[in-house]
């Protein structure tokens, strides 16, 4: 590209990029959301559909998004504008960049509140406040936390402060350093929890639930849920992978890196399932508890098991690591945008973006506190943000990114960037047809249009 700004710096190696991007992908989506969706949607068959979605839709879009980022080397908005101009396409494509920046910002505002819960639980576990609790007590602890805005405020603020501090340190000293430490640690902790789960009486029941497909449980709805989850979990359509791609050295193969990141992300989701369901079944708890699954059922289970408080603490530390390495990716596009367009230093941009995000998070916090009293069109503030981002903005961003990568960017360029050899054809089919159509279905479904 002609006037390539390149003032953001670059990852120090291919591995640094893979680890940071895996950190972005592996998050609350894997450990909090995937298990409860799986629990609600019939187990094994859902896993298979999910994996098919990762391969058929997620992977091609991830490659397209990374490629667009590396080609543009700027914030998502400026990248889309520059690449559209280069390809003589209308400036309207910039919308994909805006969707990414705004969605990431909005998602982080509630992500931080939920990450705060995991910190609160970690604190309770380590302090021994959750030893030998009964089912009602476990439920009450969760209800009490949701109803205590002051306590949630402390954890939400602490989480945002830590996120800001990492971002202020910059790419190599901040993001790379933290992810390099936390992501391998996260794998090890999860592995330890899986081994622990294997010693529980409900292990085989859990494994059967996870891996034995019962296709009668699959409905059109659950297919769409699996698709949406694949999208959220890989962290696509939010500009994060695009901006991480912008920092990627030219000689790294995007195709191979994307495959590794997708495998790591799916592996963590499955490993979380292997850690959680045996514990749930060992305690005769229902797998379909919904969003409270890890916060209500696990503490109860851990509190009655040998060494339970140690493993419980490890579990919530793991959730915290997963959340913070995703949080930095969610807001990075906004920070890059502020530094490029307003000439802010990285420090100032981080403070402004994260400060605003913290403030918006107060709305989510409030929506848990007032027990859903304030609603707009039947949704609380938290549900509204979740709906607008996950169900509308991300699919829309995903369609635009897939189509831009598949149709607008010249074939010669995508071949050179992706380095897929004979598989390039499949990537093209994915980005030109499968992904846009499949993601459009998610969008229409979310909007209640079919
Ligand atoms: N992939 C993250 C998760 O599964 O929790 C969420 C996420 C992180 C989405 C970063 C988008 C993103 F840019």
């Amino acid at each position: 590209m002609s006037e390539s700004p390149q003032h953001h710096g670059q990852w120090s190696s291919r591995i640094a990029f893979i680890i940071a991007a895996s950190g972005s992908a592996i998050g609350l989506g894997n450990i909090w959301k995937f298990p409860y969706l799986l629990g609600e949607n019939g187990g094994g068959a859902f896993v298979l559909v999910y994996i098919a979605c990762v391969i058929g839709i997620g992977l091609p879009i991830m490659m397209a998004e990374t490629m667009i980022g590396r080609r543009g080397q700027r914030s998502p908005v400026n990248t889309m504008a520059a690449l559209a101009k280069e390809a003589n396409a209308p400036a309207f494509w910039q919308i994909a960049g805006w969707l990414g920046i705004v969605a990431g910002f909005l998602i982080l505002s509630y992500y931080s509140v939920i990450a705060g819960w995991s910190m609160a639980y970690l604190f309770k576990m380590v302090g021994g406040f959750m030893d030998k609790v009964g089912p009602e007590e476990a439920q009450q602890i969760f209800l009490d936390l949701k109803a205590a805005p002051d306590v949630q405020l402390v954890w939400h603020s602490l989480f945002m402060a830590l996120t800001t501090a990492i971002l202020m340190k910059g790419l190599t000293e901040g993001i790379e350093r933290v992810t390099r430490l936390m992501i391998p640690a996260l794998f090890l902790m999860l592995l330890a929890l899986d081994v622990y789960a294997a010693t529980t009486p409900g292990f085989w029941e859990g494994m059967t639930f996870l891996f034995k497909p019962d296709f009668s449980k699959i409905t059109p709805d659950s297919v769409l849920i699996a698709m949406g989850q694949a999208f959220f979990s890989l962290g696509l359509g939010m500009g994060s992978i695009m901006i991480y791609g912008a920092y990627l050295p030219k000689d790294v193969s995007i195709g191979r890196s994307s495959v590794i990141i997708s495998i790591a992300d799916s592996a963590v989701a499955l490993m979380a399932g292997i850690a959680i369901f045996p514990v749930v079944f060992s305690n005769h708890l229902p797998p379909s508890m919904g969003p409270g699954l890890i916060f209500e059922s696990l503490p109860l289970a851990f509190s009655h098991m040998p060494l339970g408080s140690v493993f419980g603490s490890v579990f919530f530390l793991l959730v915290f690591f997963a959340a913070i390495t995703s949080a930095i990716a969610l807001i990075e596009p906004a920070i890059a945008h502020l530094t490029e367009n307003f000439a802010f230093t990285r420090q100032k941009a981080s403070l402004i973006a994260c400060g605003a995000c913290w403030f918006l998070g107060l709305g989510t916090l409030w929506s848990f506190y007032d027990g859903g009293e304030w609603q707009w069109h039947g949704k609380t503030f938290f549900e509204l943000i979740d709906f607008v981002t996950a169900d509308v903005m991300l699919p829309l961003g995903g369609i635009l990114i897939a189509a831009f990568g598949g149709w607008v960017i010249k074939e010669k360029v995508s071949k050179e960037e992706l380095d897929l050899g004979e598989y390039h054809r499949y990537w093209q089919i994915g980005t030109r047809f499968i992904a846009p159509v499949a993601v459009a279905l998610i969008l229409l479904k979310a909007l209640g249009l079919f």
Side-chain angles (χ1 to χ4, degrees), residues 32 113-114 116-117 120-121 124 138-153 155 289-293 295-296 362-372 380 382-383:
W32 166 66
V113 174
I114 296 173
W117 295 352
Y121 269 71
K124 286 185 207 294
Q139 210 173 20
Q140 197 56 46
I141 289 175
F142 187 51
L143 287 177
D144 286 350
L145 177 64
K146 284 204 290 185
D150 48 346
V151 179
Q152 288 190 73
L153 180 63
W155 294 113
M289 292 182 64
L293 183 70
F295 292 105
E296 285 177 63
L362 301 182
T364 287
L365 219 143
W366 187 263
S367 75
F368 288 120
Y369 171 63
D370 84 347
T380 66
F382 160 65
E383 287 166 347

Short mmCIF file of all heavy atoms in Angstrom, two decimals, residues 32 113-114 116-117 120-121 124 138-153 155 289-293 295-296 362-372 380 382-383:
data_model
loop_
_atom_site.label_atom_id
_atom_site.label_comp_id
_atom_site.label_asym_id
_atom_site.label_seq_id
_atom_site.Cartn_x
_atom_site.Cartn_y
_atom_site.Cartn_z
N TRP A 32 -17.81 -19.89 29.68
CA TRP A 32 -19.08 -19.56 30.32
C TRP A 32 -20.25 -19.89 29.40
O TRP A 32 -21.20 -20.55 29.77
CB TRP A 32 -19.06 -18.07 30.69
CG TRP A 32 -20.37 -17.44 31.05
CD1 TRP A 32 -21.14 -17.73 32.15
CD2 TRP A 32 -21.06 -16.42 30.34
NE1 TRP A 32 -22.25 -16.95 32.17
CE2 TRP A 32 -22.23 -16.11 31.06
CE3 TRP A 32 -20.80 -15.70 29.17
CZ2 TRP A 32 -23.14 -15.15 30.65
CZ3 TRP A 32 -21.70 -14.74 28.77
CH2 TRP A 32 -22.85 -14.46 29.49
N VAL A 113 -18.26 -6.66 33.28
CA VAL A 113 -19.08 -6.91 34.47
C VAL A 113 -19.08 -8.42 34.78
O VAL A 113 -18.91 -8.84 35.92
CB VAL A 113 -20.53 -6.39 34.26
CG1 VAL A 113 -21.42 -6.77 35.43
CG2 VAL A 113 -20.51 -4.89 34.05
N ILE A 114 -19.22 -9.24 33.73
CA ILE A 114 -19.25 -10.70 33.95
C ILE A 114 -17.87 -11.20 34.36
O ILE A 114 -17.74 -12.05 35.24
CB ILE A 114 -19.79 -11.42 32.70
CG1 ILE A 114 -21.24 -10.98 32.50
CG2 ILE A 114 -19.72 -12.94 32.87
CD1 ILE A 114 -21.88 -11.44 31.25
N GLY A 116 -15.91 -9.51 36.05
CA GLY A 116 -15.86 -9.09 37.46
C GLY A 116 -16.47 -10.16 38.36
O GLY A 116 -15.96 -10.41 39.46
N TRP A 117 -17.52 -10.80 37.91
CA TRP A 117 -18.12 -11.89 38.71
C TRP A 117 -17.08 -12.99 38.93
O TRP A 117 -16.99 -13.56 40.01
CB TRP A 117 -19.31 -12.53 38.01
CG TRP A 117 -20.50 -11.66 37.79
CD1 TRP A 117 -20.71 -10.40 38.30
CD2 TRP A 117 -21.65 -11.98 37.00
NE1 TRP A 117 -21.91 -9.92 37.86
CE2 TRP A 117 -22.52 -10.87 37.07
CE3 TRP A 117 -22.04 -13.08 36.25
CZ2 TRP A 117 -23.74 -10.83 36.40
CZ3 TRP A 117 -23.27 -13.06 35.59
CH2 TRP A 117 -24.10 -11.94 35.68
N ALA A 120 -14.85 -11.98 41.57
CA ALA A 120 -15.52 -12.06 42.88
C ALA A 120 -15.54 -13.51 43.36
O ALA A 120 -15.29 -13.80 44.54
CB ALA A 120 -16.94 -11.52 42.77
N TYR A 121 -15.81 -14.44 42.45
CA TYR A 121 -15.85 -15.86 42.82
C TYR A 121 -14.46 -16.38 43.17
O TYR A 121 -14.32 -17.21 44.08
CB TYR A 121 -16.47 -16.68 41.68
CG TYR A 121 -17.97 -16.82 41.84
CD1 TYR A 121 -18.80 -15.73 41.65
CD2 TYR A 121 -18.54 -18.02 42.22
CE1 TYR A 121 -20.17 -15.84 41.82
CE2 TYR A 121 -19.92 -18.14 42.38
CZ TYR A 121 -20.73 -17.05 42.19
OH TYR A 121 -22.08 -17.16 42.37
N LYS A 124 -13.85 -15.34 46.61
CA LYS A 124 -14.62 -16.15 47.57
C LYS A 124 -14.02 -17.55 47.72
O LYS A 124 -13.97 -18.09 48.82
CB LYS A 124 -16.07 -16.31 47.08
CG LYS A 124 -16.92 -15.07 47.24
CD LYS A 124 -18.35 -15.41 46.83
CE LYS A 124 -19.14 -14.23 46.32
NZ LYS A 124 -19.43 -13.19 47.28
N ALA A 138 -25.74 -21.68 47.38
CA ALA A 138 -24.97 -21.39 46.16
C ALA A 138 -25.77 -20.45 45.26
O ALA A 138 -25.24 -19.49 44.70
CB ALA A 138 -24.65 -22.68 45.41
N GLN A 139 -27.06 -20.73 45.17
CA GLN A 139 -27.91 -19.89 44.34
C GLN A 139 -28.01 -18.49 44.94
O GLN A 139 -27.95 -17.48 44.23
CB GLN A 139 -29.29 -20.53 44.30
CG GLN A 139 -30.02 -20.24 43.03
CD GLN A 139 -31.31 -21.04 42.99
OE1 GLN A 139 -31.82 -21.50 44.03
NE2 GLN A 139 -31.85 -21.22 41.81
N GLN A 140 -28.11 -18.46 46.27
CA GLN A 140 -28.26 -17.18 46.95
C GLN A 140 -27.00 -16.32 46.77
O GLN A 140 -27.09 -15.10 46.59
CB GLN A 140 -28.54 -17.43 48.45
CG GLN A 140 -29.10 -16.23 49.19
CD GLN A 140 -30.38 -15.69 48.53
OE1 GLN A 140 -31.28 -16.45 48.18
NE2 GLN A 140 -30.45 -14.37 48.33
N ILE A 141 -25.84 -16.97 46.81
CA ILE A 141 -24.59 -16.21 46.66
C ILE A 141 -24.58 -15.51 45.29
O ILE A 141 -24.21 -14.34 45.18
CB ILE A 141 -23.37 -17.16 46.79
CG1 ILE A 141 -23.25 -17.60 48.25
CG2 ILE A 141 -22.09 -16.48 46.33
CD1 ILE A 141 -22.16 -18.63 48.50
N PHE A 142 -25.05 -16.21 44.27
CA PHE A 142 -25.08 -15.63 42.93
C PHE A 142 -26.11 -14.49 42.88
O PHE A 142 -25.83 -13.40 42.35
CB PHE A 142 -25.43 -16.73 41.92
CG PHE A 142 -25.32 -16.30 40.49
CD1 PHE A 142 -24.18 -15.67 40.01
CD2 PHE A 142 -26.36 -16.55 39.59
CE1 PHE A 142 -24.08 -15.27 38.69
CE2 PHE A 142 -26.25 -16.15 38.25
CZ PHE A 142 -25.12 -15.52 37.81
N LEU A 143 -27.29 -14.73 43.46
CA LEU A 143 -28.32 -13.68 43.47
C LEU A 143 -27.85 -12.45 44.23
O LEU A 143 -28.04 -11.31 43.80
CB LEU A 143 -29.60 -14.22 44.13
CG LEU A 143 -30.41 -15.22 43.31
CD1 LEU A 143 -31.61 -15.71 44.11
CD2 LEU A 143 -30.86 -14.58 42.00
N ASP A 144 -27.18 -12.71 45.37
CA ASP A 144 -26.69 -11.59 46.19
C ASP A 144 -25.69 -10.75 45.41
O ASP A 144 -25.68 -9.53 45.49
CB ASP A 144 -26.02 -12.12 47.46
CG ASP A 144 -27.05 -12.62 48.47
OD1 ASP A 144 -28.25 -12.38 48.25
OD2 ASP A 144 -26.64 -13.28 49.45
N LEU A 145 -24.82 -11.45 44.66
CA LEU A 145 -23.81 -10.71 43.89
C LEU A 145 -24.49 -9.84 42.84
O LEU A 145 -24.16 -8.67 42.68
CB LEU A 145 -22.84 -11.70 43.23
CG LEU A 145 -21.77 -11.07 42.35
CD1 LEU A 145 -20.84 -10.19 43.16
CD2 LEU A 145 -20.95 -12.14 41.62
N LYS A 146 -25.47 -10.43 42.15
CA LYS A 146 -26.14 -9.66 41.10
C LYS A 146 -26.91 -8.47 41.68
O LYS A 146 -27.11 -7.47 41.01
CB LYS A 146 -27.09 -10.57 40.31
CG LYS A 146 -26.33 -11.47 39.35
CD LYS A 146 -27.20 -11.94 38.20
CE LYS A 146 -28.27 -12.92 38.62
NZ LYS A 146 -29.02 -13.45 37.49
N ALA A 147 -27.34 -8.63 42.94
CA ALA A 147 -28.13 -7.57 43.54
C ALA A 147 -27.27 -6.56 44.30
O ALA A 147 -27.81 -5.67 44.95
CB ALA A 147 -29.17 -8.18 44.47
N ALA A 148 -25.95 -6.71 44.25
CA ALA A 148 -25.08 -5.79 45.00
C ALA A 148 -24.27 -4.92 44.03
O ALA A 148 -23.18 -5.29 43.62
CB ALA A 148 -24.14 -6.59 45.91
N PRO A 149 -24.83 -3.77 43.63
CA PRO A 149 -24.13 -2.95 42.64
C PRO A 149 -22.77 -2.48 43.13
O PRO A 149 -21.83 -2.35 42.35
CB PRO A 149 -25.07 -1.77 42.40
CG PRO A 149 -26.06 -1.80 43.50
CD PRO A 149 -26.11 -3.18 44.06
N ASP A 150 -22.66 -2.24 44.45
CA ASP A 150 -21.37 -1.73 44.96
C ASP A 150 -20.27 -2.78 44.81
O ASP A 150 -19.16 -2.48 44.37
CB ASP A 150 -21.51 -1.27 46.42
CG ASP A 150 -22.23 -2.30 47.29
OD1 ASP A 150 -22.87 -3.22 46.72
OD2 ASP A 150 -22.15 -2.20 48.53
N VAL A 151 -20.62 -4.04 45.13
CA VAL A 151 -19.60 -5.09 45.02
C VAL A 151 -19.24 -5.30 43.55
O VAL A 151 -18.07 -5.37 43.17
CB VAL A 151 -20.14 -6.43 45.61
CG1 VAL A 151 -19.11 -7.53 45.47
CG2 VAL A 151 -20.55 -6.24 47.06
N GLN A 152 -20.26 -5.35 42.70
CA GLN A 152 -19.98 -5.54 41.28
C GLN A 152 -19.17 -4.38 40.73
O GLN A 152 -18.32 -4.55 39.87
CB GLN A 152 -21.28 -5.62 40.49
CG GLN A 152 -22.04 -6.90 40.71
CD GLN A 152 -23.18 -7.01 39.70
OE1 GLN A 152 -22.97 -7.25 38.54
NE2 GLN A 152 -24.39 -6.79 40.17
N LEU A 153 -19.47 -3.18 41.24
CA LEU A 153 -18.76 -1.99 40.77
C LEU A 153 -17.26 -2.10 41.05
O LEU A 153 -16.43 -1.77 40.22
CB LEU A 153 -19.34 -0.73 41.43
CG LEU A 153 -18.67 0.58 41.02
CD1 LEU A 153 -18.87 0.83 39.53
CD2 LEU A 153 -19.24 1.74 41.83
N TRP A 155 -15.46 -4.84 41.35
CA TRP A 155 -14.79 -5.82 40.48
C TRP A 155 -14.76 -5.35 39.02
O TRP A 155 -13.76 -5.53 38.33
CB TRP A 155 -15.48 -7.19 40.60
CG TRP A 155 -15.30 -7.79 41.96
CD1 TRP A 155 -16.28 -8.01 42.89
CD2 TRP A 155 -14.07 -8.22 42.57
NE1 TRP A 155 -15.75 -8.56 44.02
CE2 TRP A 155 -14.39 -8.70 43.86
CE3 TRP A 155 -12.74 -8.24 42.17
CZ2 TRP A 155 -13.44 -9.19 44.73
CZ3 TRP A 155 -11.78 -8.73 43.03
CH2 TRP A 155 -12.13 -9.20 44.30
N MET A 289 -28.92 -25.40 32.90
CA MET A 289 -29.26 -24.33 33.84
C MET A 289 -29.21 -22.93 33.24
O MET A 289 -29.56 -21.96 33.89
CB MET A 289 -28.30 -24.32 35.01
CG MET A 289 -28.42 -25.49 35.90
SD MET A 289 -27.30 -25.34 37.27
CE MET A 289 -27.90 -23.92 38.13
N GLY A 290 -28.63 -22.80 32.05
CA GLY A 290 -28.53 -21.48 31.44
C GLY A 290 -27.31 -20.71 31.95
O GLY A 290 -26.38 -21.30 32.50
N PRO A 291 -27.34 -19.36 31.78
CA PRO A 291 -26.16 -18.54 32.04
C PRO A 291 -25.58 -18.67 33.45
O PRO A 291 -24.43 -18.32 33.68
CB PRO A 291 -26.67 -17.11 31.83
CG PRO A 291 -27.88 -17.26 30.99
CD PRO A 291 -28.47 -18.60 31.27
N GLY A 292 -26.37 -19.17 34.39
CA GLY A 292 -25.86 -19.28 35.76
C GLY A 292 -25.02 -20.54 35.95
O GLY A 292 -24.45 -20.74 37.04
N LEU A 293 -24.93 -21.39 34.90
CA LEU A 293 -24.30 -22.71 35.05
C LEU A 293 -22.98 -22.69 35.82
O LEU A 293 -22.85 -23.36 36.83
CB LEU A 293 -24.12 -23.37 33.67
CG LEU A 293 -23.53 -24.78 33.69
CD1 LEU A 293 -24.52 -25.79 34.26
CD2 LEU A 293 -23.13 -25.25 32.29
N PHE A 295 -21.65 -20.30 37.53
CA PHE A 295 -21.62 -19.54 38.77
C PHE A 295 -22.47 -20.18 39.88
O PHE A 295 -22.22 -19.98 41.05
CB PHE A 295 -22.09 -18.10 38.53
CG PHE A 295 -21.11 -17.32 37.69
CD1 PHE A 295 -21.37 -17.05 36.36
CD2 PHE A 295 -19.91 -16.90 38.22
CE1 PHE A 295 -20.46 -16.35 35.58
CE2 PHE A 295 -18.98 -16.22 37.46
CZ PHE A 295 -19.26 -15.94 36.14
N GLU A 296 -23.49 -20.93 39.49
CA GLU A 296 -24.33 -21.53 40.52
C GLU A 296 -23.99 -22.99 40.77
O GLU A 296 -23.93 -23.43 41.90
CB GLU A 296 -25.80 -21.43 40.11
CG GLU A 296 -26.35 -20.03 40.27
CD GLU A 296 -27.79 -19.97 39.78
OE1 GLU A 296 -28.65 -20.65 40.37
OE2 GLU A 296 -28.03 -19.26 38.80
N LEU A 362 -21.75 0.56 33.63
CA LEU A 362 -22.63 0.84 34.77
C LEU A 362 -24.08 0.51 34.42
O LEU A 362 -24.86 0.11 35.27
CB LEU A 362 -22.50 2.30 35.19
CG LEU A 362 -21.09 2.76 35.60
CD1 LEU A 362 -21.11 4.21 36.05
CD2 LEU A 362 -20.53 1.86 36.71
N GLY A 363 -24.43 0.67 33.15
CA GLY A 363 -25.79 0.35 32.70
C GLY A 363 -26.08 -1.13 32.89
O GLY A 363 -27.15 -1.51 33.39
N THR A 364 -25.13 -1.97 32.51
CA THR A 364 -25.31 -3.43 32.65
C THR A 364 -25.42 -3.80 34.13
O THR A 364 -26.26 -4.59 34.55
CB THR A 364 -24.11 -4.16 32.02
OG1 THR A 364 -24.24 -4.05 30.62
CG2 THR A 364 -24.08 -5.62 32.40
N LEU A 365 -24.52 -3.20 34.87
CA LEU A 365 -24.51 -3.45 36.30
C LEU A 365 -25.87 -3.10 36.92
O LEU A 365 -26.42 -3.84 37.73
CB LEU A 365 -23.45 -2.50 36.85
CG LEU A 365 -22.55 -2.97 37.93
CD1 LEU A 365 -21.18 -2.40 37.71
CD2 LEU A 365 -23.13 -2.44 39.18
N TRP A 366 -26.39 -1.97 36.46
CA TRP A 366 -27.69 -1.54 36.96
C TRP A 366 -28.79 -2.50 36.55
O TRP A 366 -29.69 -2.81 37.32
CB TRP A 366 -28.00 -0.12 36.46
CG TRP A 366 -29.24 0.41 37.09
CD1 TRP A 366 -30.50 0.41 36.56
CD2 TRP A 366 -29.35 0.95 38.40
NE1 TRP A 366 -31.39 0.91 37.45
CE2 TRP A 366 -30.72 1.26 38.60
CE3 TRP A 366 -28.44 1.20 39.42
CZ2 TRP A 366 -31.19 1.80 39.78
CZ3 TRP A 366 -28.91 1.74 40.60
CH2 TRP A 366 -30.27 2.04 40.78
N SER A 367 -28.67 -3.03 35.33
CA SER A 367 -29.75 -3.90 34.85
C SER A 367 -29.80 -5.21 35.65
O SER A 367 -30.85 -5.82 35.77
CB SER A 367 -29.64 -4.16 33.35
OG SER A 367 -28.61 -5.06 33.08
N PHE A 368 -28.67 -5.65 36.20
CA PHE A 368 -28.72 -6.83 37.06
C PHE A 368 -29.29 -6.46 38.43
O PHE A 368 -30.01 -7.22 39.05
CB PHE A 368 -27.33 -7.44 37.25
CG PHE A 368 -26.84 -8.13 36.00
CD1 PHE A 368 -25.69 -7.72 35.37
CD2 PHE A 368 -27.56 -9.19 35.46
CE1 PHE A 368 -25.25 -8.35 34.22
CE2 PHE A 368 -27.14 -9.82 34.31
CZ PHE A 368 -25.98 -9.40 33.69
N TYR A 369 -28.96 -5.24 38.86
CA TYR A 369 -29.38 -4.81 40.19
C TYR A 369 -30.90 -4.62 40.26
O TYR A 369 -31.55 -5.08 41.19
CB TYR A 369 -28.66 -3.52 40.56
CG TYR A 369 -29.19 -2.88 41.82
CD1 TYR A 369 -29.09 -3.55 43.03
CD2 TYR A 369 -29.82 -1.63 41.79
CE1 TYR A 369 -29.59 -2.98 44.19
CE2 TYR A 369 -30.31 -1.06 42.94
CZ TYR A 369 -30.20 -1.74 44.13
OH TYR A 369 -30.70 -1.19 45.27
N ASP A 370 -31.47 -3.98 39.25
CA ASP A 370 -32.90 -3.67 39.37
C ASP A 370 -33.78 -4.87 38.97
O ASP A 370 -34.99 -4.75 38.85
CB ASP A 370 -33.27 -2.38 38.61
CG ASP A 370 -33.53 -2.61 37.13
OD1 ASP A 370 -33.21 -3.70 36.63
OD2 ASP A 370 -34.06 -1.70 36.49
N GLY A 371 -33.11 -6.02 38.78
CA GLY A 371 -33.86 -7.25 38.53
C GLY A 371 -34.70 -7.19 37.28
O GLY A 371 -35.75 -7.82 37.19
N GLY A 372 -34.25 -6.40 36.31
CA GLY A 372 -34.95 -6.37 35.02
C GLY A 372 -36.17 -5.46 35.01
O GLY A 372 -37.04 -5.58 34.15
N THR A 380 -33.70 -5.94 28.98
CA THR A 380 -32.98 -5.08 29.92
C THR A 380 -31.80 -4.45 29.18
O THR A 380 -31.49 -4.83 28.05
CB THR A 380 -32.42 -5.90 31.09
OG1 THR A 380 -31.41 -6.78 30.56
CG2 THR A 380 -33.47 -6.71 31.79
N PHE A 382 -28.65 -4.76 29.64
CA PHE A 382 -27.66 -5.79 29.29
C PHE A 382 -28.12 -6.60 28.08
O PHE A 382 -27.38 -6.82 27.11
CB PHE A 382 -27.42 -6.70 30.50
CG PHE A 382 -26.81 -8.03 30.16
CD1 PHE A 382 -25.53 -8.10 29.63
CD2 PHE A 382 -27.51 -9.22 30.35
CE1 PHE A 382 -24.95 -9.33 29.30
CE2 PHE A 382 -26.95 -10.44 30.03
CZ PHE A 382 -25.67 -10.49 29.49
N GLU A 383 -29.38 -7.03 28.12
CA GLU A 383 -29.89 -7.84 27.01
C GLU A 383 -29.92 -7.07 25.70
O GLU A 383 -29.67 -7.62 24.62
CB GLU A 383 -31.29 -8.37 27.35
CG GLU A 383 -31.25 -9.47 28.39
CD GLU A 383 -32.62 -9.76 29.00
OE1 GLU A 383 -33.57 -8.97 28.80
OE2 GLU A 383 -32.73 -10.78 29.69
#
